[in-house]
Amino acid sequence: MQSPSDSLASPRFCGVPTFMRLPPGGPNDPIDVAILGLPSDNGSPFRTGARFGPNAIRAASVMLRPINPYRGGLNIFAALRLADAGDAEVVPGYQEPTLVALEQAAAELIGAGITPLCLGGDHSVSLPVLRALAKQRGRVALVHFDSHTDTWDRYFADRLYSAGTPFRRAVEENLVDPARSIQVGMRGSLFRADDVSQSETLGYAVLTTDEIFALGLENAARAVAARVGDAPCYLTFDLDFVDPGCAPGVQTPEAGGPTSREALALLRALPPLNLLGADVVETNPLFDGPGQITALLAATVAAEILAMMAARKAGLAAAAG
Ligand code: MN
Ligand code: MN
């Protein structure tokens, strides 16, 4: 395996764009974690364009450096064997064959013992990754950052697999253990009075944006960690968790959210969770602000998730002596 390009030797704007300038790689390579683009917005009930998310995040990610000072100064490239596995094939406009293709791409990595860190795509792309994980590793706990629960039953005539429904489908299909799962960041206006409580009816815990700030970020992180414990888990981060002032390039912006600083502080306050996979979704570069601020934040969130994975691996190695 090649090393990532050294940005002190080769300017960041040079080369084939991959996430954090990683080498390309896939299921046949000796890697721990692979970046996998899931460039589908077939499930978008509102603004389409998240299909361009993975490459926008890759372009912004050249700004990120290898050492994460928030996790003990770990060099994530030294702690983890990483590669960019490119994008899953999708069928624009056709959701069900796309979901099959996304599941297959994730399943190939998982089957090779590689943890997928996926870049969306709208939020419907989480469901096929959870299907792939459940088939090979059993059901997982879900840690879900979003301003919406995405537990609606359906959208329009028969949109079973919309960006607004994956976490109801995941319970129905027994892909997640809701008793160990938590949805974080809900806020804003509702379609119906039970839009948030429907998640609790499904068994999820819900921590609203108001509750995060009433608790404080450290205590909110503790509440998430207490719910999940050491259960095998999947972390999904919808960029609309963050205030649209910091993350305008999303499908369904929701005013009154955490700043990018507060969102990153919350992630950095989490202990190293037992992640079997993760995704960063709903980056829509067609609606992004000047300087591609949403894509930069998405790249930074993805790098924080890598740092969490690196810290977990380093911690297990230290415990094993
Ligand atoms: Mn969502
Ligand atoms: Mn959302």
Side-chain angles (χ1 to χ4, degrees), residues 15-310:
V16 179
T18 58
F19 186 78
M20 289 182 82
R21 311 191 75 191
L22 290 169
N28 298 321
D29 294 310
I31 49 182
D32 301 308
V33 181
I35 304 300
L36 177 64
L38 303 179
S40 169
D41 50 27
N42 288 335
S44 300
F46 194 51
R47 294 168 171 173
T48 52
R51 66 180 63 179
F52 302 114
N55 278 344
I57 296 168
R58 288 185 176 104
S61 75
V62 300
M63 295 309 299
L64 296 164
R65 303 174 184 89
I67 293 175
N68 185 299
Y70 307 96
R71 299 254 178 215
L74 266 179
N75 180 322
I76 61 175
F77 298 149
L80 294 173
R81 296 171 299 169
L82 296 164
D84 189 327
D87 294 335
E89 297 295 336
V90 301
V91 189
Y94 295 88
Q95 180 67 315
E96 302 218 9
T98 293
L99 294 176
V100 171
L102 299 180
E103 179 180 338
Q104 186 183 339
E108 284 173 8
L109 293 171
I110 295 161
I114 299 167
T115 302
L117 172 52
C118 304
L119 308 176
D122 71 41
H123 221 153
S124 68
V125 304
S126 297
L127 185 70
V129 184
L130 289 169
R131 284 173 172 166
L133 275 175
K135 279 179 190 160
Q136 297 192 46
R137 307 290 302 271
R139 65 181 191 162
V140 292
L142 183 73
V143 179
H144 173 201
F145 295 92
D146 201 322
S147 65
H148 315 99
T149 57
D150 297 349
T151 51
W152 288 287
D153 185 27
R154 55 188 63 213
Y155 260 81
F156 315 129
D158 186 26
R159 295 290 298 276
L160 281 173
Y161 302 114
S162 134
T165 63
F167 304 115
R168 176 177 292 270
R169 298 289 95 82
V171 174
E172 292 168 349
E173 296 181 19
N174 201 29
L175 312 178
V176 298
D177 178 3
R180 303 302 298 270
S181 300
I182 186 163
Q183 300 187 294
V184 184
M186 287 71 231
R187 64 178 180 275
S189 55
L190 309 173
F191 289 126
R192 290 187 303 256
D194 68 349
D195 278 2
V196 174
S197 63
Q198 66 187 0
S199 278
E200 291 162 335
T201 303
L202 288 167
Y204 290 113
V206 173
L207 193 62
T208 66
T209 289
D210 284 346
E211 288 166 342
I212 292 170
F213 287 99
L215 285 169
L217 296 171
E218 294 278 340
N219 287 330
R222 273 189 208 109
V224 173
R227 179 74 172 181
V228 180
D230 208 46
C233 84
Y234 189 79
L235 190 158
T236 181
F237 191 102
D238 181 329
L239 265 291
D240 73 31
F241 170 75
V242 179
D243 191 87
C246 295
V250 296
Q251 181 191 172
T252 45
E254 207 64 64
T259 62
S260 51
R261 172 185 165 85
E262 289 158 346
L264 292 170
L266 181 56
L267 286 174
R268 289 165 180 162
L270 288 172
L273 302 173
N274 183 10
L275 293 177
L276 299 192
D279 64 45
V280 180
V281 298
E282 294 286 359
T283 301
N284 186 337
L286 305 186
F287 289 85
D288 209 349
Q292 294 78 50
I293 53 177
T294 312
L296 177 61
L297 177 57
T300 308
V301 167
E304 288 299 328
I305 293 169
L306 287 179
M308 182 188 285
M309 292 171 174

